[in-house]
Amino acid sequence: MSSITTSALETPLRRSVERTCDDLAILTLVVVSIVASFTFRDYGLGWDDYTHAEYADLLLKMYGSGFKDLGALSFANLYMYGGGFDMAAALLHKIIPLELFETRRLLGAVVGVVGLAVTWRLGRRVGGAAGGLATLLLLALCPTFYGHMFMNPKDAPFAVAMIILMLGLVRLAEEYPKPSPRTILIVGLGAGVSIGSRILGGLALVYALIGFIPLLLEEVRNQGWREAAHRFLHVVYVLLPGLVFGYLVMGLIWPWSILEPGNPIHALSYFSAFFEKPWKEMFDGAMISVPDMPWSYLPTLFALQLPEVLLFLTLGGVVITIMSLSRDSVSPRRKTILLMLTMAATLPLLIAMVKRPALYNGIRHFIFVIPPMTVLAGAAFAWGMDWLRVNHRGSQAAAVAVFSFGLMLPLAEMIRLHPYQYTHFNYIAGTVRQADALFMLDYWGLALKQASDALKEQITERQESPPVGRKWKVAVCGPQRPAQVALGPDFTIGWDSHAADFAMTLGEFYCKGLTAPVIAEIKRDDVVFARVYDIRGSSISSLLEIPAP
C-alpha cells in the first residue's frame, strides 16, 4: 500500500508498462482535443454566459482606462468573483475569427484539456503510470466534468485551478522540507488562480493543514520539536515568493480582492448567505425551495450522476487512505498525500451537508471535487492491479476488462447525450430517462441553441417571412439571453406569449406543454430537452407551469 509500482500490469511484447501507459495517456489527450475542436460549437450558452461576457468587457475597460473606469468593481455581484477566464476569452476573441461565444466555448475546451493534463500528471505522481492513465480516463469520461468544461465560465475553470494547486501541494509534500523552485511556482500560481476564481479556493489551506499532520508528526518524532519547527518555518519562508506571485495573479484576475485587505473575507461572508430571491427546483420528484434543500442533495446527485466505476474506485481510494493512516508500513509522506486528496474530494461535500447552504443547479458548484476524486480512484485502481499481480496474476486481465466496461458506460451516454453531457445520470439512476421525472436535467438551457437552429431551419424551408414592419416574435420559457444570441437579430424574444409567433420551451418542470403545433423537438435518449411551437392564431396565456418566483 505504501508504494504503487508501474509493474502492476503486464503488457505484451515485453514493452515497458510505464511507457505504454504514458503513450495511452497522451493519445487520450490528443483524442479529447480533436473531438473538442470539432464539437465546441455545438454547445449553447449557459444562463450566466452573457453576463460574464459583459463583466469581461468592464474589466478590460478598467485596465484600458488606467483604472479610471471602475464599473467592473460594482457590476452585479460578479466583482466578488474573478474574471480571469472571461478576460482571456474577450482578448482571444479579438485575435481569432470566431464569434464571442464560440470563442468562449473553445477556450473552455482548452482549459478543460489543461485540467485533464494536470490531473493526469498528479494521478501519475500518486499512483504511478497505470494510476495516472486510469485517473485521466476516469476524468475524460466523466460526463459532468466534460460537459461543464465547454460552457461553465466559473466552476470549470475553478476546478482546473484547484487541481493545479493540489499538484503543487502534493509536490510540496514529496519535497518537504526543501521544495524546488518549480514546486514553489506551482503552489503560488495555483493559489492565485484558484482564490482569484472563487474565494472557495481558500479551502486548499484546510486540506494542507489537515493533510500535513502525519508528515509534521513524523518530523517531530525524528527531529524534535525545535528542529521540526525550524524546518517548517524554513518551508514557509521559501514559499513566500510563490505566495507573493500568487497574490499578484489573484489581483490581476480579481482586482476587487486587493482594493482592501478585507475584501476576500467580505466575499466569503457574502456567499455564505443566500443572496437571491428564492426559487424552487425539482429534487427527487418534489419542488423544493433552494435554501431548503435537504442534506442528502449533494450525496444523492453525486451518487446518481457520476459514472459507477468512478464512484466505486473513489470509495476504494478513501478506504485506502483510512487504512494507510493506521499502518506503520506507509510512509508519512504517502499518508499526507492521500489525506490531502481525500480532504479535497470529500470535505467540501461534508461541509455543505452539515451547513446546508442554498443548493441548486445540480452539482455544478462542486465539480472541483471531481478531479481529486479521479486521482484517488486512479490510485485505488493501480493499488488493486498491484495486489492482483502479487496474489492473483491471472485475474489482471479480467480486472482491466471490468474497468474498461465501466468506462464504456459513460462514454456511450456522452455520445448519446451530446452536447448535453452535463445532464448525465448514471445507470443506478436509470439514466436521463428515469431521472427526467425526478430531477432537473438541462437547468442551464443549452438546448435552446439547437431549438433556435431548428426554428430557423423550419422558417427557411417554409420560405416564410415575418409580418410586415416587425421581426419574428418568439416567447421563450427558459433563459432569455442565450435564446436571443442563438436566434440572432431577426427575432424578438420575451416571456409574453400573447403576441408571439412561436414559443420555445425547455423540457423542464416549470415550462408548460402547449396545445399548439410542434414544429421542432430536441430529444436525447427519448427525453425532450426543448420544443418549438407555432402559436400563431393560438391563445396561450402563459408558458409557465408554475408562477414565477
Side-chain angles (χ1 to χ4, degrees):
M1 189 182 299
S2 61
S3 62
I4 297 173
T5 68
T6 55
S7 60
L9 298 170
E10 299 294 337
T11 54
L13 305 178
R14 298 182 180 178
R15 194 177 184 205
S16 162
V17 174
E18 183 172 331
R19 174 78 177 275
T20 300
C21 290
D22 287 346
D23 287 349
L24 289 174
I26 293 171
L27 178 62
T28 299
L29 290 172
V30 170
V31 170
V32 172
S33 299
I34 293 173
V35 171
S37 69
F38 280 102
T39 61
F40 71 91
R41 290 183 176 89
D42 298 341
Y43 295 83
L45 277 67
W47 203 294
D48 298 337
D49 234 327
Y50 199 94
T51 307
H52 275 268
E54 292 177 312
Y55 182 43
D57 289 340
L58 291 173
L59 286 170
L60 294 179
K61 284 181 182 178
M62 183 185 70
Y63 285 119
S65 68
F67 291 89
K68 294 179 181 178
D69 186 339
L70 301 179
L73 303 181
S74 59
F75 179 64
N77 68 349
L78 288 187
Y79 64 91
M80 295 193 190
Y81 294 100
F85 176 88
D86 301 316
M87 286 191 289
L91 292 172
L92 184 62
H93 172 58
K94 296 178 184 295
I95 60 176
I96 64 174
L98 291 176
E99 296 179 358
L100 173 60
F101 293 102
E102 290 181 339
T103 303
R104 291 174 66 87
R105 299 292 81 77
L106 176 61
L107 182 61
V110 171
V111 171
V113 171
V114 169
L116 290 173
V118 173
T119 307
W120 165 49
R121 299 307 296 177
L122 177 56
R124 196 183 188 286
R125 279 183 172 271
V126 176
L133 175 60
T135 295
L136 175 60
L137 291 172
L138 287 166
L139 187 57
L141 295 177
C142 176
T144 302
F145 180 85
Y146 184 86
H148 275 281
M149 80 183 197
F150 287 93
M151 53 77 185
N152 190 330
K154 278 190 297 196
D155 306 303
F158 176 65
V160 174
M162 286 294 282
I163 203 63
I164 292 172
L165 179 53
M166 288 306 302
L167 174 62
L169 292 176
V170 167
R171 289 176 60 105
L172 180 63
E174 291 174 337
E175 299 170 4
Y176 189 91
K178 296 180 180 180
S180 66
R182 179 175 294 181
T183 294
I184 294 169
L185 177 63
I186 294 173
V187 170
L189 177 64
V193 176
S194 58
I195 299 176
S197 298
R198 285 174 64 186
I199 188 60
L200 206 57
L203 274 175
L205 177 61
V206 181
Y207 308 157
L209 289 175
I210 297 175
F212 267 80
I213 288 175
L215 182 54
L216 294 178
L217 289 177
E218 182 70 11
E219 284 275 301
V220 171
R221 281 194 291 266
N222 292 338
Q223 307 293 334
W225 280 101
R226 179 169 296 186
E227 180 61 21
H230 179 266
R231 286 155 68 96
F232 175 76
L233 291 175
H234 170 74
V235 171
V236 174
Y237 174 74
V238 298
L239 283 176
L240 285 178
L243 297 178
V244 170
F245 173 68
Y247 186 78
L248 296 176
V249 170
M250 180 186 76
L252 176 66
I253 63 178
W254 186 23
W256 181 80
S257 68
I258 60 173
L259 291 182
E260 295 182 14
N263 276 352
I265 304 302
H266 178 62
L268 180 62
S269 175
Y270 175 81
F271 289 119
S272 296
F274 192 56
F275 48 84
E276 297 185 54
K277 184 178 180 181
W279 67 90
K280 293 183 178 181
E281 291 198 357
M282 182 76 73
F283 175 71
D284 201 17
M287 288 188 294
I288 304 174
S289 181
V290 295
D292 300 325
M293 286 295 178
W295 68 268
S296 59
Y297 182 86
L298 287 174
T300 297
L301 289 178
F302 268 89
L304 298 181
Q305 290 200 270
L306 294 188
E308 294 86 348
V309 64
L310 175 55
L311 291 170
F312 176 77
L313 287 173
T314 298
L315 180 61
V318 173
V319 170
I320 288 173
T321 298
I322 295 172
M323 293 174 60
S324 72
L325 294 176
S326 62
R327 297 200 174 187
D328 294 335
S329 59
V330 181
S331 72
R333 293 182 193 276
R334 182 73 178 170
K335 292 178 182 178
T336 286
I337 290 170
L338 290 175
L339 186 54
M340 281 195 299
L341 288 168
T342 300
M343 289 294 100
T346 62
L347 184 60
L349 305 182
L350 294 174
I351 292 174
M353 290 165 63
V354 173
K355 298 288 290 182
R356 290 187 59 192
L359 295 169
Y360 55 95
N361 287 176
I363 60 176
R364 76 170 177 89
H365 297 102
F366 292 85
I367 60 172
F368 68 95
V369 307
I370 296 178
M373 281 182 174
T374 63
V375 176
L376 278 176
F381 171 80
W383 179 87
M385 296 305 298
D386 194 48
W387 185 87
L388 288 175
R389 179 182 61 83
V390 174
N391 297 280
H392 299 282
R393 182 184 294 269
S395 300
Q396 282 187 306
V400 171
V402 171
F403 178 68
S404 300
F405 176 76
L407 294 176
M408 291 302 103
L409 295 179
L411 175 60
E413 289 299 300
M414 290 169 72
I415 295 171
R416 187 178 293 118
L417 290 172
H418 179 79
Y420 314 124
Q421 289 92 348
Y422 88 109
T423 68
H424 169 265
F425 277 80
N426 59 30
Y427 284 86
I428 298 173
T431 72
V432 294
R433 292 190 184 193
Q434 299 296 322
D436 183 44
L438 301 174
F439 304 97
M440 294 184 69
L441 300 181
D442 190 16
Y443 50 80
W444 262 10
L446 295 196
L448 293 183
K449 173 178 170 56
Q450 279 70 35
S452 298
D453 292 342
L455 173 58
K456 290 187 289 186
E457 289 175 6
Q458 285 292 319
I459 291 174
T460 300
E461 287 180 10
R462 298 178 180 186
Q463 298 181 338
E464 292 188 276
S465 300
V468 178
R470 68 171 177 86
K471 302 177 180 180
W472 290 114
K473 292 184 178 180
V474 182
V476 177
C477 181
Q480 305 286 296
R481 290 285 199 178
Q484 183 66 76
V485 171
L487 285 170
D490 295 332
F491 295 81
T492 300
I493 69 165
W495 288 95
D496 185 13
S497 57
H498 290 91
D501 304 297
F502 305 100
M504 189 184 302
T505 66
L506 290 175
E508 296 298 336
F509 71 94
Y510 56 83
C511 293
K512 277 185 178 180
L514 306 181
T515 55
V518 176
I519 61 174
E521 195 170 61
I522 308 302
K523 298 177 70 175
R524 295 293 186 274
D525 201 13
D526 291 331
V527 173
V528 175
F529 278 68
R531 284 193 179 101
V532 182
Y533 299 89
D534 186 340
I535 60 173
R536 288 172 289 186
S538 301
S539 178
I540 307 295
S541 60
S542 174
L543 302 182
L544 293 173
E545 186 68 38
I546 61 174

